[in-house]
């Protein structure tokens, strides 16, 4: 599809252009396997000499079509779906960093990603240095080591709502011959396209706004197709023969545009099997069709809620990047001119006990670990998603013990505000 089409059109029609008499909606190819007439035909697929499907653990047409839509939204060259956002971030990093390597990551990232990096991948021999999301260029530079393989951050951090200075991160990464990986889950490509600011790889938890209806867990990785994997001599994994895959040299064979995703599919998906089901991909595709409409409403509601909270006597602080005076307001204006996301965080007077009472007294805002959904939901991270962190780690991740994450759905803002007002009155 023509990349010049506007983002709204790409949401609705990107990645799938049916031919004469073909289904208007993306077909669900609910098949684990695909039939061939000769062993030679199939052999060509295994040697990556022909493209085609053979087993849905590696690739499935429904998943690829939906991945192509997300690829079009981000303006990338290649994309793949994964079983979850966790799998997407794991694959994006592990595709280029393994035992003995090092990665620099912003400390303001999703709790699950922090655990994946700081605990599980560390056990696999990948070392991480965490830097403040708003660190200076010199601080970021100082964190890079000779064995560093990537720099990682979130466009808008979940739940800290720190907006990353993507251009600064990209500049320092590129100076050192490294790719910048950006988790763009909260902004979505409707509100920010990190490739336009220099990012090389984008990941998503499609479970959030992209699906948007709380119906299917999923993830996605998109490659901008611009990073030169051969230039620095640091990425043998992409530029020397893969003996586990018939000696293919991904960079030579698939170039800048295809090497990263082909390797992640042929090697990591083959071995780890974190595949998305065609049913889930179909639901994701449906969600994408209204992403641009929903994001606008999420942002309008969040702005109204943030303004209300800011003026309430039982609220001690409010964080929403689009709110004038917010620490990240200037960065939000630059990177997210049409709005950031639907998530607002705040603290209530009276600390932890008051926060719990407040949560109990909300009727529309449901207590869920979920976020970025059509229905309003909220969470107290210190007692839920981030409970494995000590107070210092919490602070480094930008999460205070009294933080409430309030994810505005697409209901009426007036109803949400009335619900919040009643719950806040209960802690008087
Ligand atoms: C939820 C989330 C993830 C993890 O995604 P799952 O689909 O839950 O595995 C990763 N990054 C961010 C920013 C998230 O919000």
């Amino acid at each position: 599809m023509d990349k010049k089409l506007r983002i709204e059109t790409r949401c609705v029609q990107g990645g799938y252009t049916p031919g004469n008499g073909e289904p208007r909606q993306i077909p669900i190819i609910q098949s684990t396997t695909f039939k061939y007439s000769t062993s030679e035909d199939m052999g060509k697929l295994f040697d990556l000499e022909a493209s085609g499907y053979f087993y849905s653990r590696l690739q499935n047409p429904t998943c690829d079509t939906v991945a192509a839509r997300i690829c079009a939204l981000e303006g990338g060259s290649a994309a793949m779906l994964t079983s979850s956002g966790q799998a997407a971030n794991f694959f994006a990093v592990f595709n280029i960093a393994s035992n003995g390597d090092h990665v620099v990551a912003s400390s303001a990232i999703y709790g699950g990603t922090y655990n994946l990096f700081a605990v599980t991948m560390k056990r696999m021999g990948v070392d991480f240095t965490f830097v403040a999301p708003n660190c200076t260029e010199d601080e970021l530079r100082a964190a890079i080591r000779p064995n560093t393989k990537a720099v990682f951050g979130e466009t808008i951090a979940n739940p800290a709502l720190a907006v990353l200075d993507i251009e600064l991160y990209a500049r320092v990464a590129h100076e050192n011959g490294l790719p910048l990986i950006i988790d763009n889950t909260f902004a979505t490509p409707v509100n920010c396209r990190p490739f336009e600011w220099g990012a090389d790889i984008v990941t998503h938890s499609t479970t959030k706004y992209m699906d948007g209806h709380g119906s299917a867990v999923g993830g996605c990785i998109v490659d901008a197709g611009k990073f030169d994997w051969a230039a620095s001599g640091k990425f043998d994994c992409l530029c020397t023969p893969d003996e586990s895959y018939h000696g293919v040299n991904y960079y030579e064979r698939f170039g800048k545009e295809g090497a990263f995703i082909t390797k992640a599919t042929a090697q990591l998906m083959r071995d780890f099997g974190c595949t998305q089901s065609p049913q889930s991909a179909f639901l994701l595709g449906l969600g994408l069709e209204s992403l641009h409409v929903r994001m606008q409403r999420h942002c309008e509601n969040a702005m109204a809620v943030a303004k209300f909270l800011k003026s309430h006597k039982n609220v001690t602080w409010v964080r929403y990047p689009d709110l004038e005076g917010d620490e990240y307001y200037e960065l939000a204006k630059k990177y997210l001119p049409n709005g950031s996301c639907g998530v607002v965080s705040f603290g209530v007077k009276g600390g932890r006990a008051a926060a719990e009472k407040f949560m109990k007294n909300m009727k529309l805002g449901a207590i869920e670990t979920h976020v970025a959904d059509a229905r309003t939901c909220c969470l107290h991270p210190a007692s839920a998603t981030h409970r494995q962190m000590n107070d210092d780690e919490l602070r480094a991740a930008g999460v205070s013990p009294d933080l409430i994450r309030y994810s505005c759905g697409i209901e009426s803002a007036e109803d949400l505000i009335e619900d919040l007002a009643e719950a806040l009155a209960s802690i008087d």
Side-chain angles (χ1 to χ4, degrees):
M1 175 164 293
D2 186 351
K3 280 199 184 141
K4 284 195 274 300
L5 285 172
R6 288 165 183 79
I7 196 83
E8 295 85 351
T9 310
R10 282 183 266 161
C11 281
V12 183
Q13 298 207 16
Y16 181 59
T17 312
N20 216 14
E22 284 180 358
R24 187 68 188 101
Q25 183 52 278
I26 296 169
I28 303 172
I29 309 294
Q30 192 68 47
S31 182
T32 57
T33 193
F34 302 82
K35 173 188 170 286
Y36 288 91
S37 308
T38 70
S39 300
E40 282 137 297
D41 287 346
M42 184 175 276
K44 282 187 190 138
L45 301 179
F46 274 98
D47 287 344
L48 299 175
E49 268 163 20
S51 63
Y53 297 94
F54 50 91
Y55 191 50
S56 287
R57 168 154 39 82
L58 283 95
Q59 277 184 288
N60 169 281
T62 309
C63 295
D64 280 358
T65 303
V66 176
R69 176 165 295 169
I70 298 174
C71 192
L73 287 172
E74 289 288 3
S77 67
M80 69 195 285
L81 297 189
T82 57
S83 54
S84 66
Q86 286 298 106
N89 282 326
F90 172 54
F91 276 21
V93 174
F94 197 65
N95 205 30
I96 48 173
S98 52
N99 190 9
D101 291 335
H102 172 256
V103 174
V104 176
S106 161
S107 60
I109 51 175
Y110 175 64
T113 310
Y114 178 82
N115 204 66
L116 167 70
F117 289 174
V119 180
T120 301
M121 288 192 75
K122 196 165 172 123
R123 274 172 47 208
M124 301 169 90
V126 185
D127 211 1
F128 286 81
T129 298
F130 295 95
V131 295
N134 53 356
C135 67
T136 65
E137 212 159 316
D138 284 341
E139 284 165 344
L140 183 56
R141 216 169 265 134
I144 290 168
R145 303 178 189 164
N147 60 340
T148 305
K149 293 295 166 76
V151 178
F152 181 97
E154 292 179 7
T155 310
I156 308 170
N158 174 11
L161 302 180
V163 177
L164 200 78
D165 192 339
I166 302 173
E167 271 191 323
L168 182 152
Y169 270 65
R171 189 158 60 238
V172 174
H174 295 163
E175 253 173 30
N176 289 279
L178 303 171
L180 175 63
I181 304 173
I182 293 288
D183 181 332
N184 196 33
T185 299
F186 264 28
T188 83
V190 170
N191 284 343
C192 179
R193 287 171 298 283
F195 294 156
E196 293 173 3
W197 302 101
D200 302 287
I201 305 291
V202 158
T203 60
H204 283 281
S205 165
T206 61
T207 317
K208 311 296 166 52
Y209 288 120
M210 284 190 167
D211 171 292
H213 302 78
S215 56
V217 173
C220 184
I221 309 173
V222 191
D223 182 2
K226 295 194 184 112
F227 193 79
D228 185 341
W229 300 103
S232 69
K234 292 181 189 197
F235 298 99
D236 282 356
C237 58
L238 280 156
C239 304
T240 58
D242 177 0
E243 295 313 334
S244 84
Y245 215 104
H246 319 284
V248 63
N249 179 322
Y250 296 104
Y251 190 66
E252 257 176 28
R253 182 85 70 83
F254 301 99
K256 278 184 194 170
E257 294 77 17
F260 189 89
I261 295 294
T262 307
K263 175 177 181 287
T265 303
Q267 211 180 58
L268 301 185
M269 203 54 106
R270 176 197 63 190
D271 295 350
F272 289 99
C274 309
T275 181
Q276 189 165 141
S277 78
Q279 285 281 349
S280 292
F282 175 79
L283 291 170
L284 170 57
L286 274 187
L288 291 170
E289 290 181 14
S290 62
L291 183 65
H292 55 302
V293 182
R294 288 183 289 107
M295 284 314 288
Q296 191 178 347
R297 184 57 170 266
H298 281 295
C299 291
E300 283 167 14
N301 282 359
M303 191 55 145
V305 161
K307 283 183 176 158
F308 164 76
L309 291 170
K310 186 101 186 168
S311 68
H312 199 286
K313 66 175 175 39
N314 288 348
V315 174
T316 46
W317 57 269
V318 179
R319 159 145 292 161
Y320 186 57
D322 308 34
L323 211 54
E324 217 172 325
D326 187 90
E327 188 183 346
Y328 290 96
Y329 179 70
E330 292 303 324
L331 286 173
K333 262 205 318 204
K334 173 174 173 178
Y335 292 106
L336 303 148
N338 299 322
S340 58
C341 64
V343 183
V344 178
S345 60
F346 61 98
V348 292
K349 205 186 261 175
R352 186 179 288 248
E356 276 168 25
K357 187 162 183 208
F358 161 81
M359 300 268 289
K360 223 178 277 170
N361 282 303
M362 237 176 333
K363 294 192 181 70
L364 288 176
I367 299 176
E368 291 171 13
T369 56
H370 194 42
V371 66
D373 186 50
R375 284 145 295 206
T376 295
C377 49
C378 70
L379 182 77
H380 182 218
S383 59
T385 47
H386 285 57
R387 63 185 304 142
Q388 80 282 6
M389 290 190 181
N390 64 35
D391 278 5
D392 286 342
E393 287 169 339
L394 270 181
R395 266 187 288 275
V399 182
S400 62
D402 65 339
L403 182 147
I404 289 169
R405 182 182 73 187
Y406 188 85
S407 169
C408 296
I410 55 175
E411 303 95 335
S412 144
E414 284 77 13
D415 284 340
L416 297 181
I417 287 169
E418 281 169 23
D419 190 40
L420 283 165
E422 279 174 31
L424 283 168
S426 77
I427 60 168
D428 261 341

